[in-house]
Amino acid sequence: MSYSEIYKNAFAELKKYYPAAFFTCAVGVLLTSGLHQLKEFIYRAVTAAAGHNIGLLLMILLVYLAASIGVYFWSDVIFAGEAKFFMQAKSGEINTRNLFWFLNGRENAVKVLWRKYIHIFLATLMLVIPGVIAEYDLILVPYMMCEDPDMPKDRAFEISENAMEGYKWKCFVMLLQFYAITVLELIIAFLLRENMIVVYVVLYIISTIAQPIQLAVMQEFYEFMKGRIFAAAIDINEEEGKTEYTVTEEVIEVYSSGNDDEHNDRILSVTSDDLTEKIM
């Protein structure tokens, strides 16, 4: 599937439930970027009030760093909730409460998402490029955890890494225009830096408009990658000596349809009989 097809399908699907998607993303942005901006505002105000008190400034800095880590952890969980909304909406179930999917006995999924963030953070400490690679290696993890919240961390990481082999750069290019929007936001923030309230409002509006499109595109990408995800799961099971597989009918349909992996030497094509034999 080409980039143009992914975008075409994403826009076609998004039209069916755009009001609910817009509301979900508006709340999601408020709970992530909004909290981040509030944290920055409080930090600046408190730092200015602290003056030249070194001890107090160090304490403020430690609290700021802890708050930053907490906001990023929280952002990953909210993003997974947004992904859950788009995943369910594509199948016909439009429920904005999916944004808070993690509140219903999803402790394992939340832990996996936090460990994903820690993994990417540690990779970024080495160098920026390893951090970016780690981000794209694990980009499918939130979607897989939405479908199987009890999946172990090691398995989720390994499946995502194997499925994204040969697709990290392609995914980066696919999302390039959204990074351009981020650059635009930074330019606006710089130009309007004298009036931070206006900056927050403008950035919130831009993010709320762009995010439904980005998430719809990522949902189509995930649908396209399901064949590779299933293939990676089979390979891992075979390496572990397992012969039984639990898959959804939707994944079976994608995998058994015989998709040629045009960007990789590996061809994901099996017949329904072969797939049934593997599963049984």
Side-chain angles (χ1 to χ4, degrees), residues 243-259:
T243 57
E244 297 180 0
Y245 306 92
T246 303
V247 294
T248 64
E249 292 182 0
E250 184 179 11
V251 175
I252 292 175
E253 182 180 353
V254 171
Y255 189 72
S256 62
S257 62
N259 292 322

Side-chain angles (χ1 to χ4, degrees), residues 119-231:
H119 178 85
I120 294 171
F121 176 74
L122 293 177
T124 305
L125 288 180
M126 297 170 58
L127 281 174
V128 174
I129 293 180
V132 174
I133 293 174
E135 173 72 33
Y136 282 91
D137 269 335
L138 305 179
I139 200 168
L140 301 175
V141 169
Y143 293 88
M144 292 191 295
M145 298 313 300
C146 286
E147 291 200 301
D148 184 3
D150 297 321
M151 183 181 296
K153 185 270 294 184
D154 292 341
R155 182 173 179 81
F157 280 27
E158 189 172 4
I159 290 177
S160 182
E161 289 171 353
N162 290 352
M164 287 300 294
E165 185 177 351
Y167 276 82
K168 290 187 284 290
W169 174 252
K170 299 168 184 64
C171 184
F172 174 81
V173 173
M174 182 186 72
L175 298 176
L176 198 56
Q177 61 182 310
F178 297 106
Y179 300 139
I181 293 175
T182 301
V183 173
L184 175 63
E185 290 177 336
L186 292 175
I187 293 174
I188 291 174
F190 175 76
L191 295 176
L192 302 178
R193 63 188 181 278
E194 300 300 328
N195 193 333
M196 295 308 298
I197 300 298
V198 175
V199 170
Y200 296 155
V201 172
V202 172
L203 296 187
Y204 177 74
I205 293 173
I206 294 175
S207 298
T208 304
I209 293 173
Q211 193 155 2
I213 302 173
Q214 181 177 353
L215 286 166
V217 169
M218 276 303 302
Q219 177 59 37
E220 290 302 317
F221 178 73
Y222 176 68
E223 292 292 327
F224 170 68
M225 294 295 290
K226 276 188 175 180
R228 291 183 61 85
I229 292 170
F230 184 49

Side-chain angles (χ1 to χ4, degrees), residues 14-25:
L14 187 58
K15 287 179 181 178
K16 300 176 184 178
Y17 50 84
Y18 182 77
F22 180 85
F23 174 78
T24 301
C25 289

